[in-house]
Amino acid sequence: MKTMNLRFLVMLLLLAFVAGCSTTDTQDDAGLTDEEAAAQAEERAARSRAFGAGSGDGISDEDLSQEERAARDARRAAEEGEDLRQERVIYFDFDSAEIKRESRAVLEAHAAYLNSNGNASVTLQGHTDERGTKEYNLALGERRAEAVKQFLVVNDVRRGQIETVSYGEERPVNESSSEEAYSENRRVEIDYN
Amino acid sequence: MYNQIMDTVRPQPGTLSRPWAGFAVAALLLLLTALPARAELVIQVTEGADRGIPIAVVPFAVSSGEEVPEEIATIIRNNLTMSGDFQLLEPGRMLSLPTFGDTLHYRDWRLLGQQFVMLGSLERQDDGRYVLEYELYDVSQQRRLIRSRATASRQQLRQMAHHVSNRVYETVTGIDGIFTTRLAFVTRTREGGDLLYRLRISDIDGVNPVTLLESDEPILSPDWSPDGKELVYVSFEGGRPGIYRQTIASGERERLTEFRGLNSAPVWSPDGKSLLMTLSKDGSADIYRMVLGSRNVEQLTRHWAINTEASWAPDGRSFVYTSDRSGSPQIYQMDRRSGDSKRLTFEGNYNASAQFSPDGKSLYFVHGRDRQFFIGMLDLESGNQRILHRTPTDEAPGIAPNGRLLIYVTRQGNSRSLELTTTDGRSQFRLPIEHEGIRDPAWSPLP
Amino acid sequence: MQQVIPASLVLALMLAAGAVSAQSVSSFQDGSDREGQSSGELFFVIQELRQEVRRLQGQLEEQANQIERLNRQGRERYVDLDERLVDVGQRLSTVEDGMAKGSSAAGSGPGLSQGGSGNLVAGTVDSGASRDRRNYRQPDDAERAAYGIIQKRIHEEKDYDRAADAVYDFVEKYPEGDLTVNAYYWLGEIYLIQKNLDQARRAFSIVVSRYDDHRKAPDALYKLAVTQQQRGDKEDARRSLEQVIARYPNADAAPLARNLLGSL
């Protein structure tokens, strides 16, 4: 997912650069060369397939109509999202409110759901481990919740659908004092209202 | 039914609105009169017992046949011990037990290396009140420093012992005694699987606790008003944080804030007219000032990092706060006039929750290194930072209003106890009283 | 292609502005999931940038602090050097005195036997006694104004660090004048307030040893004793106080010295 995305970004920038160069260099450029157009088409095809071809069920795309294919993709994406959406806890490092890249898919699934269900809303509960001062931890929990909120907003979720609250170190899921317990407690819980 | 218990704040003596106030007082008195004749536990000196001024508090004479509800002399001995300025002679080592000046032989006490001797006798009057006659002698000068008489009802005996302790302490050291001050703290306990928070106050030795508020939701950060009559604190009742102000005597209280996001870390200004607090209503956690009269809030810090745990300098010209704008929590000082902030701590990757000493010359704060936490101290003139190594704790200590002591909670496994350290870090004491799940101690101003 | 170019431009703009507007991204019809991904990517980029800014801010603060400390140390070394120069001058004059007076002088100079052990004050007073009273250069208006800055920073602003800076500037620009001695004296006071006792001792010693006939000398000697007492050098303090009384019996500092001597 990540490399795919980076490749896409690089591609975009390259294309912009190429386009910029070509318009200044040659006036009679009619647009894309055949090769470029082919490459782009291939790229798009590769992209759209890359999303839908998760399970490889042996049915070729050609066998389905355009509508059928779209419906299937949507259903499958929804199922996949539903699985991801079962994950409702995002974890953090000590004294950090940075969302880890590994949490991205889960958060995107929540964003997609909130996007397509405008009436749904969530409360993001920020928590910390027990170490450090209580008030700083309240602020840290708040910032963790805010970071998750920012991510959802960037992914098109309306601000009105999201509330945040920080409990700092007051609501641990694991009350023992070990590194393991600490890492379980540094979290944001996504609660659907 | 369960839903109703969640989020409900159960009224307690002292928390009630006006119609209940009379009952609250009645309940309080009941609690006090019900005190049994207790055996006073002796304060445990965990470190540095031999550094104080040697003083002997001779067991007091008691009029015959009287059962005394409080061991006055032991309370005084405990007080002087926990002040960190005295070294108490054990009664078992005393050569004689005089009860009045006429029978005092200075030689005996010089032999034992004592500098001061306190004598007393307690008598019960016909009206049921108790009279303590007490004297304080300077052994080397062979001179009487105090000869006085205090009276108290049975219920006030402990208070009387604290009052007398203050007189002895102040006479010898010339420093304000803190034995009639009080402690505010929060307890968090598990009852029937649910967490239960209580906001309580007690005498400074932890005895005579009174509950001001009880809630299933977190209670945090109590802070005393400069006149000692009110507290501000954070309560999550209703599932969201709010800053509350409560009058201790009547239990009357009001919610001051319920902004979106954080409502935390309230502290009174030295003049009692405003609060500093942490809000995140405008996005990031920043320090705001609320004028109590108008309830207007004014934003003081502006930074997208965390800014919290503000605390005024005693002169009101600046305040310190915690910010992680440099990647880890560190302590900054903001000058009120210029609005400029300056970083103060440069050692260790966790310095938070600073408070000024009453003379404004140093800061005490939580210092973390290698993920262990201690009380740190910063001398503001020299910029030198040091660590009180024998005080492992990760919450802000309470500072005695005379600047001589810090009180903090230490944990051993699941049990928590109150400890005191002298501000020079040399002596530590553990208070014998236990409050399950105690946290967030805050020391009241002088009465 | 037509769709790709503006999208990439928008992306570049957003990167430059550092702000992400979800609406502007989703307004492109070309597959909102693709655009969502790039804004998701931007989220992480900004997160990393913020972390980097904090790290740099931390470094900046720490280095500023380092520089401040180094500056302070630099100033302290300066005083140290000054004191050593005085010390060397002292010994030279002692040696010269000794040569002039011949062998009989050794017996008549109490305290000179200690000269070798580096007891600055004892040596000073001795040699000072044999010196004539000087006429100190009187200040002009500019010098007075510069001196006023020191006073203002000490008494009004109570900004002792900057006051010390002003003293150093002053003694460099106006050496060996009447006010120069005062400036050294105040440097001692500043360090005494700051509990920088080593530096205070050095500053007072400069006045005591180099300008022992100046009107500030008795005060400086007394304050030297106070400094020594605070350092825990009780014997040195006692000696200094006795010298105040012996050498300057009519000075204001003499009764103060007697008082302090009584409580030592």
mmCIF file of all heavy atoms in Angstrom, chain A residues 50-67:
data_model
loop_
_atom_site.group_PDB
_atom_site.id
_atom_site.type_symbol
_atom_site.label_atom_id
_atom_site.label_comp_id
_atom_site.label_asym_id
_atom_site.label_seq_id
_atom_site.Cartn_x
_atom_site.Cartn_y
_atom_site.Cartn_z
ATOM 1 N N ALA A 50 -5.314 -3.351 -8.801
ATOM 2 C CA ALA A 50 -4.593 -3.578 -7.547
ATOM 3 C C ALA A 50 -5.525 -3.461 -6.357
ATOM 4 O O ALA A 50 -5.381 -4.171 -5.380
ATOM 5 C CB ALA A 50 -3.462 -2.573 -7.411
ATOM 6 N N PHE A 51 -6.517 -2.628 -6.440
ATOM 7 C CA PHE A 51 -7.431 -2.478 -5.313
ATOM 8 C C PHE A 51 -8.384 -3.651 -5.168
ATOM 9 O O PHE A 51 -8.662 -4.098 -4.077
ATOM 10 C CB PHE A 51 -8.246 -1.189 -5.453
ATOM 11 C CG PHE A 51 -7.547 -0.049 -4.816
ATOM 12 C CD1 PHE A 51 -6.894 0.874 -5.610
ATOM 13 C CD2 PHE A 51 -7.521 0.081 -3.457
ATOM 14 C CE1 PHE A 51 -6.220 1.923 -5.027
ATOM 15 C CE2 PHE A 51 -6.856 1.119 -2.870
ATOM 16 C CZ PHE A 51 -6.196 2.046 -3.660
ATOM 17 N N GLY A 52 -8.892 -4.109 -6.319
ATOM 18 C CA GLY A 52 -9.953 -5.105 -6.249
ATOM 19 C C GLY A 52 -9.454 -6.540 -6.177
ATOM 20 O O GLY A 52 -10.195 -7.423 -5.799
ATOM 21 N N ALA A 53 -8.221 -6.791 -6.522
ATOM 22 C CA ALA A 53 -7.758 -8.152 -6.733
ATOM 23 C C ALA A 53 -7.146 -8.766 -5.484
ATOM 24 O O ALA A 53 -6.142 -9.438 -5.548
ATOM 25 C CB ALA A 53 -6.759 -8.186 -7.887
ATOM 26 N N GLY A 54 -7.808 -8.570 -4.408
ATOM 27 C CA GLY A 54 -7.235 -9.041 -3.145
ATOM 28 C C GLY A 54 -7.209 -10.549 -3.027
ATOM 29 O O GLY A 54 -6.211 -11.135 -2.624
ATOM 30 N N SER A 55 -8.294 -11.234 -3.408
ATOM 31 C CA SER A 55 -8.386 -12.655 -3.081
ATOM 32 C C SER A 55 -8.110 -13.575 -4.266
ATOM 33 O O SER A 55 -7.930 -14.766 -4.093
ATOM 34 C CB SER A 55 -9.775 -12.967 -2.515
ATOM 35 O OG SER A 55 -10.742 -12.484 -3.421
ATOM 36 N N GLY A 56 -8.140 -13.019 -5.480
ATOM 37 C CA GLY A 56 -7.844 -13.832 -6.656
ATOM 38 C C GLY A 56 -8.794 -15.021 -6.781
ATOM 39 O O GLY A 56 -8.394 -16.171 -6.664
ATOM 40 N N ASP A 57 -10.061 -14.770 -7.003
ATOM 41 C CA ASP A 57 -11.051 -15.848 -6.962
ATOM 42 C C ASP A 57 -11.225 -16.565 -8.306
ATOM 43 O O ASP A 57 -12.127 -17.371 -8.473
ATOM 44 C CB ASP A 57 -12.393 -15.298 -6.476
ATOM 45 C CG ASP A 57 -12.827 -14.096 -7.292
ATOM 46 O OD1 ASP A 57 -12.097 -13.745 -8.267
ATOM 47 O OD2 ASP A 57 -13.854 -13.510 -6.982
ATOM 48 N N GLY A 58 -10.385 -16.235 -9.255
ATOM 49 C CA GLY A 58 -10.400 -16.993 -10.486
ATOM 50 C C GLY A 58 -11.385 -16.489 -11.540
ATOM 51 O O GLY A 58 -11.357 -16.925 -12.678
ATOM 52 N N ILE A 59 -12.270 -15.593 -11.175
ATOM 53 C CA ILE A 59 -13.186 -15.058 -12.178
ATOM 54 C C ILE A 59 -12.519 -13.870 -12.827
ATOM 55 O O ILE A 59 -12.100 -12.941 -12.155
ATOM 56 C CB ILE A 59 -14.511 -14.619 -11.524
ATOM 57 C CG1 ILE A 59 -15.121 -15.813 -10.790
ATOM 58 C CG2 ILE A 59 -15.467 -14.052 -12.564
ATOM 59 C CD1 ILE A 59 -16.271 -15.449 -9.903
ATOM 60 N N SER A 60 -12.430 -13.872 -14.129
ATOM 61 C CA SER A 60 -11.745 -12.771 -14.787
ATOM 62 C C SER A 60 -12.681 -11.571 -14.893
ATOM 63 O O SER A 60 -13.900 -11.708 -14.913
ATOM 64 C CB SER A 60 -11.269 -13.198 -16.174
ATOM 65 O OG SER A 60 -12.388 -13.381 -17.007
ATOM 66 N N ASP A 61 -12.071 -10.388 -14.942
ATOM 67 C CA ASP A 61 -12.843 -9.159 -14.980
ATOM 68 C C ASP A 61 -13.765 -9.095 -16.207
ATOM 69 O O ASP A 61 -14.844 -8.551 -16.142
ATOM 70 C CB ASP A 61 -11.896 -7.954 -15.028
ATOM 71 C CG ASP A 61 -11.247 -7.761 -13.680
ATOM 72 O OD1 ASP A 61 -11.642 -8.481 -12.731
ATOM 73 O OD2 ASP A 61 -10.365 -6.895 -13.587
ATOM 74 N N GLU A 62 -13.301 -9.666 -17.307
ATOM 75 C CA GLU A 62 -14.046 -9.564 -18.556
ATOM 76 C C GLU A 62 -15.406 -10.242 -18.479
ATOM 77 O O GLU A 62 -16.319 -9.935 -19.206
ATOM 78 C CB GLU A 62 -13.243 -10.148 -19.716
ATOM 79 C CG GLU A 62 -12.071 -9.289 -20.146
ATOM 80 C CD GLU A 62 -10.919 -9.340 -19.164
ATOM 81 O OE1 GLU A 62 -10.862 -10.296 -18.345
ATOM 82 O OE2 GLU A 62 -10.077 -8.415 -19.175
ATOM 83 N N ASP A 63 -15.524 -11.191 -17.550
ATOM 84 C CA ASP A 63 -16.774 -11.924 -17.460
ATOM 85 C C ASP A 63 -17.899 -11.107 -16.838
ATOM 86 O O ASP A 63 -19.040 -11.471 -16.899
ATOM 87 C CB ASP A 63 -16.591 -13.207 -16.628
ATOM 88 C CG ASP A 63 -15.688 -14.185 -17.363
ATOM 89 O OD1 ASP A 63 -15.555 -14.053 -18.602
ATOM 90 O OD2 ASP A 63 -15.113 -15.052 -16.685
ATOM 91 N N LEU A 64 -17.537 -10.015 -16.199
ATOM 92 C CA LEU A 64 -18.550 -9.213 -15.529
ATOM 93 C C LEU A 64 -18.821 -7.943 -16.298
ATOM 94 O O LEU A 64 -17.937 -7.407 -16.950
ATOM 95 C CB LEU A 64 -18.080 -8.831 -14.122
ATOM 96 C CG LEU A 64 -17.820 -9.980 -13.161
ATOM 97 C CD1 LEU A 64 -17.152 -9.457 -11.905
ATOM 98 C CD2 LEU A 64 -19.125 -10.690 -12.827
ATOM 99 N N SER A 65 -20.023 -7.447 -16.161
ATOM 100 C CA SER A 65 -20.333 -6.168 -16.776
ATOM 101 C C SER A 65 -19.713 -5.065 -15.920
ATOM 102 O O SER A 65 -19.295 -5.286 -14.779
ATOM 103 C CB SER A 65 -21.855 -5.969 -16.833
ATOM 104 O OG SER A 65 -22.327 -5.756 -15.517
ATOM 105 N N GLN A 66 -19.700 -3.907 -16.488
ATOM 106 C CA GLN A 66 -19.128 -2.752 -15.790
ATOM 107 C C GLN A 66 -19.784 -2.547 -14.421
ATOM 108 O O GLN A 66 -19.133 -2.375 -13.419
ATOM 109 C CB GLN A 66 -19.334 -1.501 -16.654
ATOM 110 C CG GLN A 66 -18.456 -0.331 -16.259
ATOM 111 C CD GLN A 66 -17.010 -0.578 -16.677
ATOM 112 O OE1 GLN A 66 -16.704 -1.529 -17.409
ATOM 113 N NE2 GLN A 66 -16.124 0.269 -16.191
ATOM 114 N N GLU A 67 -21.124 -2.632 -14.406
ATOM 115 C CA GLU A 67 -21.869 -2.389 -13.155
ATOM 116 C C GLU A 67 -21.583 -3.476 -12.133
ATOM 117 O O GLU A 67 -21.371 -3.222 -10.956
ATOM 118 C CB GLU A 67 -23.388 -2.330 -13.418
ATOM 119 C CG GLU A 67 -23.854 -1.156 -14.243
ATOM 120 C CD GLU A 67 -23.567 -1.349 -15.733
ATOM 121 O OE1 GLU A 67 -23.695 -2.500 -16.213
ATOM 122 O OE2 GLU A 67 -23.188 -0.357 -16.397
#
